[in-house]
Amino acid sequence: MLFFNHSSFLTFTLMGIPGLESQHLWLALPFSFMFLAILIGNGAILLLVATEPTLHTPMYLLLALLMVADLISTLALMPKLLCLFWFNDHDITSNACFTQMFFIHGASVVRSALLVAMAFDRFVAVCEPLHYNTILSRTLVGRLGLIALAKGVIIVFPMPLLLQRLTFCHMIIPHTYCDHMAVVKMACDHTRPNRIYGLFVILLVVGLDLLLIGFSYGLILKAVVRLKSQDATFKALNTCSAHFFVIIVTYVPALFSSLIHRIGLNIPPQAHILLANLYLLLPSMLNPIIYGINMKEIRGKMVKCLCRELA
């Protein structure tokens, strides 16, 4: 067995989707469509929030930060993936691999933190509507954004650092990108610290964030139950519907993918790899659609912009 010491000259080979190598060219088509949809959808929302003064409110500013996190995650993943599918470019240097890993996982942590901030925003909007602008000032929104960014950097940065101490005896990664656990499995020495830290990140990010989101929605439901007006109840629930759908789209595939990696469920590898890619891409693609449909302000502004362009 060959052993490779980690260095900046080490090169990994991304296999792509195991068992579907001959279909990579066909798979490039839907992935290219998703990439284009993500760039257009998220870019449109960002442009709308930036250019429309009426959308400079806490809810839409947090939404804009979520779009930025989605774009960073997508731009870290898709260029290399499409080169792999379109041009059979499988090689990636260790430095590029660890950099990709940092931005993909870091953006996911930031996205999760922003969803917690958005749950707090919905809690204040429903439970303290008269004090909404006082509590959620632009200064607080900026601080929440900085906290989310710091959380992503601080939590994910040790991952590539811990990988640098390893010796690798396998160079072919059965994946389309440098997923942390996929790279850890390429090492031939002691990887328990890497595995423990990876599990710690999942528990801290997904577990704690979901707990905070659940707590916020518990308080929201408690407040909604006390409302006597049916219209007020519907309005309160509709206010939270977009955020709730985004939570489902974000966390369910992520949890399922992580469980497969660690528990080793009897699932075909190609299904697992496809799911790992979709859990990164689906939220980024669906978020603009969900918020565009559910938020009448964005829907109205988009229709107005389109009519202005077509006129």
Side-chain angles (χ1 to χ4, degrees):
M1 182 183 292
L2 293 177
F3 293 86
F4 301 90
N5 290 325
H6 174 74
S7 71
S8 58
F9 302 104
L10 194 65
T11 299
F12 291 108
T13 299
L14 292 170
M15 184 186 295
I17 302 178
L20 296 178
E21 290 88 350
S22 61
Q23 306 299 320
H24 278 176
L25 197 58
W26 290 107
L27 288 169
L29 296 175
F31 276 96
S32 297
F33 170 78
M34 283 191 285
F35 186 37
L36 189 61
I38 289 168
L39 294 179
I40 293 173
N42 289 273
I45 298 288
L46 280 174
L47 183 63
L48 204 61
V49 173
T51 56
E52 289 290 342
T54 56
L55 296 181
H56 293 174
T57 61
M59 178 173 62
Y60 293 109
L61 292 175
L62 287 170
L63 177 61
L65 292 176
L66 183 68
M67 300 292 125
V68 171
D70 286 342
L71 284 174
I72 291 173
S73 174
T74 302
L75 290 172
L77 168 69
M78 290 304 291
K80 181 60 185 176
L81 184 146
L82 291 178
C83 285
L84 190 157
F85 283 173
W86 283 113
F87 309 113
N88 284 324
D89 182 10
H90 294 266
D91 293 340
I92 184 169
T93 65
S94 59
N95 286 338
C97 182
F98 296 155
T99 301
Q100 184 192 52
M101 179 191 304
F102 172 77
F103 279 103
I104 288 176
H105 292 308
S108 297
V109 173
V110 172
R111 178 195 292 152
S112 183
L114 289 172
L115 288 175
V116 175
M118 294 172 82
F120 175 67
D121 167 80
R122 294 300 84 205
F123 161 72
V124 176
V126 173
C127 300
E128 298 289 342
L130 298 178
H131 302 94
Y132 179 78
N133 290 324
T134 304
I135 297 173
L136 277 164
S137 61
R138 290 188 184 181
T139 302
L140 179 60
V141 172
R143 288 174 180 171
L144 290 173
L146 288 175
I147 290 171
L149 177 63
K151 182 180 179 182
V153 172
I154 292 170
I155 289 178
V156 175
F157 192 67
M159 284 183 171
L161 291 182
L162 287 170
L163 284 170
Q164 289 184 15
R165 70 179 183 83
L166 298 178
T167 300
F168 296 93
C169 50
H170 305 284
M171 306 308 297
I172 301 176
I173 303 174
H175 217 300
T176 54
Y177 65 91
C178 290
D179 177 73
H180 175 249
M181 283 305 299
V183 177
V184 167
K185 289 178 180 179
M186 298 300 100
C188 43
D189 51 8
H190 190 59
T191 60
R192 180 174 291 180
N194 304 77
R195 294 174 181 271
I196 291 175
Y197 189 75
L199 184 60
F200 165 76
V201 169
I202 290 175
L203 293 175
L204 179 64
V205 175
V206 179
L208 181 60
D209 288 356
L210 275 178
L211 184 65
L212 292 172
I213 291 171
F215 181 69
S216 296
Y217 272 95
L219 294 175
I220 289 171
L221 286 174
K222 185 179 178 181
V224 168
V225 168
R226 293 177 178 176
L227 294 174
K228 297 179 180 180
S229 169
Q230 189 174 358
D231 291 338
T233 302
F234 176 78
K235 185 178 179 181
L237 293 175
N238 188 57
T239 300
C240 304
S241 60
H243 184 247
F244 183 73
F245 285 130
V246 168
I247 290 169
I248 293 174
V249 169
T250 300
Y251 286 111
V252 171
L255 284 170
F256 191 58
S257 181
S258 297
L259 285 173
I260 292 172
H261 256 312
R262 284 162 177 81
I263 301 176
L265 298 176
N266 188 24
I267 292 178
Q270 55 266 37
H272 173 220
I273 303 303
L274 283 171
L275 180 63
N277 284 275
L278 290 177
Y279 105 76
L280 290 174
L281 295 173
L282 275 183
S284 302
M285 186 175 70
L286 294 179
N287 285 351
I289 299 172
I290 292 171
Y291 282 104
I293 292 174
N294 282 273
M295 293 185 169
K296 62 180 182 180
E297 293 88 352
I298 289 182
R299 189 168 63 246
K301 295 294 182 183
M302 281 190 169
V303 171
K304 183 180 176 180
C305 288
L306 288 173
C307 292
R308 192 165 53 208
E309 291 295 325
L310 294 173

